[in-house]
Amino acid sequence: MMVPAGEVTASVVADAEQAADAADERAGIRTRPAHPDELDGVLARFEATWGAGRGPDRAMVQALDHAGNTVLVAVERVEERPTPRVEERPTQEDASRNPQPATIPIGATLGFLGWSGGLHLHSHMNAVDPAARGRGVGVALKLRQRAVCLAHGVTEMRWTYDPLIRRNARMNLVRLGAEVIAFLPDFYGELGDAITGADRSDRFEVRWRLDSPRTARALARGQVPSWRAEGGLPLVADYERVRADDPRVAARLRDASREAFAALAHDPGLRLELDADGDYVFTRDDPDRAP
């Protein structure tokens, strides 16, 4: 367990589990905690996404999992197997004596508890096999994390994402109902990984209030409000392609976004949303405003 259940009702927890199960059904997968002998596969999925040595080491994942944090996998339903009883789980001695090649799940996510600004789960890594993208695997993993959090009384999740990647912005702000709470320029420093390369690691931090009206509307695919805009920033359809094809153009887009997002730090009442075209708009509307 993470923390004792607080004010989250049993019906909210049940609804969250049903939403996660429904997302699994749509994607043709099963999301669940990783089995102890699957942690090497989790690391392999992270490395396949960000590059060798760009994720936590085996000992760190083992410790996070042992402490009860969310180390989850997405597997094809035909690969699902029951959680082994404690006495059936392989020991470290068994693993060293009979090493097995890691089976890489089609998706994996890692989150840990934080309390800066209030208790929350920081969802740090969420990786999906490129061959499975478009099936909703990433959303299913987030929804399973949400169900686990609510079952343990945690009502908020946070994570970061590159604000120039439109598909991630749409998934986070529209599909899930998270909201931008901070712009973090060059948050991770120079990553040099398989995704970011030499680009600057600017990030938005988002907050997902797991039992909010905004989240309920998003998960029900409800109508998104027409946000009353005070300016905005258009996004290119595929920033990652631009970055790969012409880094100089990507750098100019990054510069322009930094200049635009600086307004968030100077005006606490200003927020960012996505409009119907998938572009950012600055607004003062309540994030839970009805359409």
Side-chain angles (χ1 to χ4, degrees):
M1 288 183 65
M2 294 180 183
V3 295
E7 299 178 357
V8 181
T9 65
S11 64
V12 168
V13 173
D15 287 347
E17 291 174 347
Q18 289 174 9
D21 290 344
D24 283 2
E25 185 74 28
R26 289 191 295 271
I29 59 171
R30 181 75 66 194
T31 55
R32 54 164 173 75
H35 296 304
D37 60 345
E38 292 177 313
L39 297 185
D40 287 331
V42 169
L43 288 172
R45 173 52 58 211
F46 291 157
E47 291 200 344
T49 301
W50 287 284
R54 297 298 174 178
D57 62 23
R58 177 65 165 71
M60 179 62 72
V61 175
Q62 175 72 38
L64 289 169
D65 182 57
H66 179 75
N69 290 281
T70 54
V71 182
L72 308 181
V73 294
V75 298
E76 300 285 2
R77 285 177 176 255
V78 295
E79 298 175 10
E80 177 63 341
R81 57 194 172 100
T83 302
R85 296 190 300 273
V86 172
E87 62 270 19
E88 294 176 339
R89 295 179 182 177
T91 65
Q92 291 288 348
E93 184 179 354
D94 292 333
S96 61
R97 195 167 49 227
N98 300 297
Q100 300 292 325
T103 299
I104 305 179
I106 61 174
T109 193
L110 168 66
F112 45 84
L113 284 179
W115 49 81
S116 176
L119 183 69
H120 62 278
L121 182 93
H122 184 83
S123 182
H124 182 52
M125 306 181 84
N126 194 22
V128 176
D129 185 345
R133 287 178 185 161
R135 290 171 53 182
V137 177
V139 168
L141 284 165
K142 288 290 191 193
L143 289 175
R144 187 62 62 189
Q145 274 188 314
R146 173 178 178 260
V148 172
C149 284
L150 289 171
H152 292 90
V154 179
T155 59
E156 184 175 310
M157 286 172 54
R158 301 181 200 168
W159 61 89
T160 64
Y161 79 95
D162 187 332
L164 296 187
I165 300 179
R166 176 182 261 175
R167 60 181 171 82
N168 286 352
R170 181 166 184 79
M171 183 183 93
N172 294 332
L173 305 187
V174 178
R175 179 66 185 86
L176 296 176
E179 58 201 274
V180 175
I181 58 172
F183 174 55
L184 307 172
D186 212 17
F187 183 58
Y188 295 110
E190 184 175 341
L191 288 169
D193 60 21
I195 294 178
T196 308
D199 193 8
R200 288 162 287 181
S201 60
D202 294 354
R203 294 293 185 268
F204 275 159
E205 182 179 14
V206 297
R207 173 178 60 200
W208 196 19
R209 292 176 292 124
L210 303 180
D211 57 351
S212 67
R214 176 190 179 93
T215 295
R217 181 190 69 224
L219 297 185
R221 305 291 185 101
Q223 182 181 352
V224 178
S226 295
W227 304 107
R228 290 169 290 211
E230 297 184 14
L233 180 75
L235 292 175
V236 296
D238 190 347
Y239 176 77
E240 291 167 297
R241 174 56 60 190
V242 173
R243 181 166 58 192
D245 292 346
D246 196 332
R248 289 177 299 179
V249 172
R252 289 197 293 270
L253 291 171
R254 184 71 69 188
D255 288 339
S257 71
R258 280 189 167 191
E259 184 176 346
F261 299 149
L264 297 173
H266 300 306
D267 188 342
L270 205 58
R271 305 187 310 101
L272 273 175
E273 295 284 0
L274 280 187
D275 65 15
D277 296 322
D279 295 323
Y280 287 121
V281 294
F282 292 90
T283 184
R284 298 181 191 278
D285 285 345
D286 187 318
D288 288 321
R289 182 172 76 82

